[in-house]
Amino acid sequence: MDQPFSSKVSLKPLPRSRRSMPPSHPPKRQDVLSVFSTFLDISPETAALWVPDHRLRRSAQILLAEDLTKRAGADGLARALLSQWQRQPCPGLTRLHLIAYLQESCYWAAWKVCESRPATRSQLTDLFQAGIVKVDVILTKFNVELGFGLDSYAFNSFKNTIRHELNRRELSSANCSSDWSLLRHTGRESLGTALRHANHPDAEIDRYVLAWLSYQRLYVPADASRTRRLSGPDAATWDLIAQDFNRQRPLHLPPSSPAAEAADIARWMRLCAEALRAYRPRFVSIDAPRTDLEGTAEPLAIPTESAFDAVQRQEEREYAEAINRVLCLALDGLDPPKRRLLDLYHGEELGQKQIAQQIGKDQGTVSRQLTRCRGELVVALAKWSQEKLNISLTCEVLKRLEAVVDEWLCEHYGQTRCWQQESASE
């Protein structure tokens, strides 16, 4: 049975906007299970809603079944989880529970900052993400022994972080990209998406993109160090761009498409820049799960996806499934001793010192062997990325692949633990 939502989770003092909450704000989570298993989904075009993670919900149910956390409520469970995470920080279920718990604190901190400054809904989503990415800093610095509320501490910390980020952006506004710089540094797919989002007809989009390609080819800034503040092509360059467009027009556009003059091309490019600045991709909280929401217990409306969103989501699912297959095969191919190490560390969540005592080796040896095990999985994923996706294996790419492997290990073994616990309870 779900536990009642603890009154300690409410923010004090409440922002003025929360006292008269408009419909676009996310509804307050009413039970402890939701507090520790849902993430915010914020889109500039629709009301915010809560996205449930069924794996976290099952994990929270197991935690609440214990007498200690049952009596403590949401605030007590958060403190217990944080104490556990601070003893052994790792990107596992404990961290995800805490991030879910702090979603409201971060949202209202972002809203409080936006409330005192001219801000748009799109800026709110950006500022929310600027805060939530610093969650590990908050979890590390919070002192559980002092007895303060984690949500209140996080609210103030998020607010300071977001204000710092907003001030940084405002201070650098003098160096922000001009429309002409933005057009030079965007991609064809991004431009097409922004124009579709601005409801331009397909015929216009084809014309604008072809003109933009001519702009890309012929407008080369003389001073590469000032590309963020380009002033735009001169009259002679606009004429060359228009000539290039008219040469390409019969090859790429229908015969009925008219020729264009330099003034037409310049106007189209301004429309493209306007569409790029107005477009904001659909934002989902950084730790929000990407799972099918059908059958969820949360009675929240799901906004209608565009065709582009649906295709993008399908591609993400296919990519995640492919990574899962590659890493499962690599994990199955490890030697039994290496598999045992990973089972103890990620599956049973033992520390390196505990593992060392269990297998009769020193802690340093266990640490090095765990690093080698993870390295073999990273090599398998890197090889697949290079062969199937044609990705160049730079240092940055390898760091990203290491993070993907770490996240996959936590999720893979987390699911295994949940299944084992559910089987044992049955």
Side-chain angles (χ1 to χ4, degrees):
M1 181 180 297
D2 292 354
Q3 304 298 316
F5 186 78
S6 171
S7 60
K8 294 182 180 179
V9 180
S10 60
L11 300 178
K12 299 178 181 181
L14 292 176
R16 292 190 301 274
S17 57
R18 189 169 183 177
R19 296 170 188 158
S20 56
M21 186 185 300
S24 60
H25 287 313
K28 181 181 174 68
R29 295 179 289 186
Q30 298 298 326
D31 60 88
V32 178
L33 287 179
S34 297
V35 170
F36 288 97
S37 63
T38 57
F39 299 88
L40 266 178
D41 182 349
I42 310 176
S43 172
E45 297 84 11
T46 61
L49 58 92
W50 293 103
V51 180
D53 185 320
H54 301 293
R55 177 169 56 96
L56 286 183
R57 189 175 181 88
R58 290 193 298 270
S59 174
Q61 286 173 333
I62 295 169
L63 291 171
L64 291 170
E66 301 175 6
D67 291 338
L68 176 63
T69 56
K70 185 184 295 185
R71 293 195 300 268
D75 186 60
L77 177 55
R79 296 171 70 84
L81 289 171
L82 181 56
S83 297
Q84 177 183 342
W85 184 85
Q86 287 180 342
R87 288 194 298 270
Q88 187 179 3
C90 64
L93 288 178
T94 301
R95 176 177 176 273
L96 290 177
H97 281 308
L98 290 167
I99 293 174
Y101 173 77
L102 295 177
Q103 295 282 292
E104 284 179 304
S105 298
C106 187
Y107 176 87
W108 290 113
W111 180 261
K112 185 67 176 178
V113 174
C114 289
E115 187 184 37
S116 60
R117 308 182 187 214
T120 64
R121 181 74 175 171
S122 299
Q123 283 179 303
L124 175 63
T125 64
D126 293 339
L127 295 180
F128 173 83
Q129 184 165 4
I132 205 67
V133 296
K134 300 295 184 180
V135 69
D136 285 344
V137 177
I138 293 173
L139 296 179
T140 302
K141 290 185 176 181
F142 181 73
N143 190 338
V144 180
E145 304 299 328
L146 293 179
F148 297 120
L150 173 59
D151 60 333
S152 299
Y153 173 84
F155 172 74
N156 290 308
S157 298
F158 281 135
K159 189 166 59 175
N160 292 334
T161 298
I162 292 167
R163 281 176 175 166
H164 176 77
E165 174 63 17
L166 196 57
N167 290 335
R168 185 191 66 78
R169 294 179 186 181
E170 289 175 352
L171 288 173
S172 63
S173 61
N175 295 323
C176 66
S177 298
S178 66
D179 287 351
W180 312 114
S181 301
L182 179 63
L183 289 168
R184 276 201 56 81
H185 291 93
T186 194
R188 182 171 183 168
E189 183 177 353
S190 299
L191 177 60
T193 302
L195 291 170
R196 285 192 295 272
H197 188 267
N199 296 320
H200 287 279
D202 291 342
E204 279 188 7
I205 293 175
D206 292 340
R207 198 157 55 239
Y208 293 171
V209 170
L210 185 62
W212 170 79
L213 290 171
S214 297
Y215 170 88
Q216 287 275 65
R217 281 193 294 269
L218 296 174
Y219 181 44
V220 180
D223 186 356
S225 65
R226 298 177 62 85
T227 56
R228 289 178 58 83
R229 291 173 286 174
L230 295 177
S231 57
D234 55 22
T237 305
W238 280 122
D239 287 336
L240 292 174
I241 293 172
Q243 294 171 16
D244 185 73
F245 169 82
N246 290 324
R247 281 195 300 269
Q248 300 294 327
R249 178 178 54 85
L251 302 176
H252 302 281
L253 298 178
S256 58
S257 180
E261 298 181 355
D264 297 323
I265 303 292
R267 178 171 56 83
W268 295 348
M269 292 302 96
R270 290 189 179 92
L271 288 173
C272 289
E274 181 181 339
L276 285 167
R277 293 195 186 280
Y279 173 66
R280 292 292 185 272
R282 178 181 174 82
F283 172 79
V284 179
S285 175
I286 189 169
D287 290 283
R290 297 189 174 276
T291 57
D292 189 359
L293 303 184
E294 184 178 356
T296 176
E298 301 293 333
L300 301 174
I302 302 173
T304 304
E305 287 187 326
S306 67
F308 175 78
D309 288 332
V311 170
Q312 188 177 42
R313 194 174 291 272
Q314 177 63 25
E315 289 177 351
E316 290 172 353
R317 279 197 294 266
E318 292 175 354
Y319 179 66
E321 290 170 359
I323 288 178
N324 184 59
R325 288 193 297 271
V326 170
L327 292 178
C328 281
L329 289 173
L331 186 62
D332 292 339
L334 291 178
D335 296 335
K338 296 178 180 178
R339 282 292 303 274
R340 177 60 178 160
L341 275 179
L342 293 177
D343 291 342
L344 293 172
Y345 187 74
H346 292 283
E348 299 183 21
E349 294 187 305
L350 299 180
Q352 293 180 5
K353 186 175 181 180
Q354 295 171 299
I355 296 174
Q357 293 172 349
Q358 185 164 333
I359 66 176
K361 295 183 179 180
D362 60 87
Q363 185 176 348
T365 301
V366 171
S367 177
R368 289 190 294 274
Q369 289 180 349
L370 283 171
T371 301
R372 292 192 191 101
C373 293
R374 187 187 68 160
E376 291 190 30
L377 299 182
V378 172
V379 168
L381 185 58
K383 184 178 179 180
W384 175 81
S385 301
Q386 191 175 36
E387 293 177 352
K388 300 298 182 181
L389 304 180
N390 296 319
I391 294 177
S392 299
L393 299 180
T394 63
C395 292
E396 290 300 320
V397 169
L398 290 174
K399 287 180 181 179
R400 174 58 185 156
L401 293 180
E402 289 175 358
V404 170
V405 169
D406 288 340
E407 183 178 349
W408 180 84
L409 283 169
C410 291
E411 183 165 347
H412 175 77
Y413 281 99
Q415 289 177 346
T416 304
R417 282 196 304 273
C418 285
W419 293 333
Q420 291 172 347
Q421 290 167 345
E422 287 178 353
S423 299
S425 63
E426 293 175 357

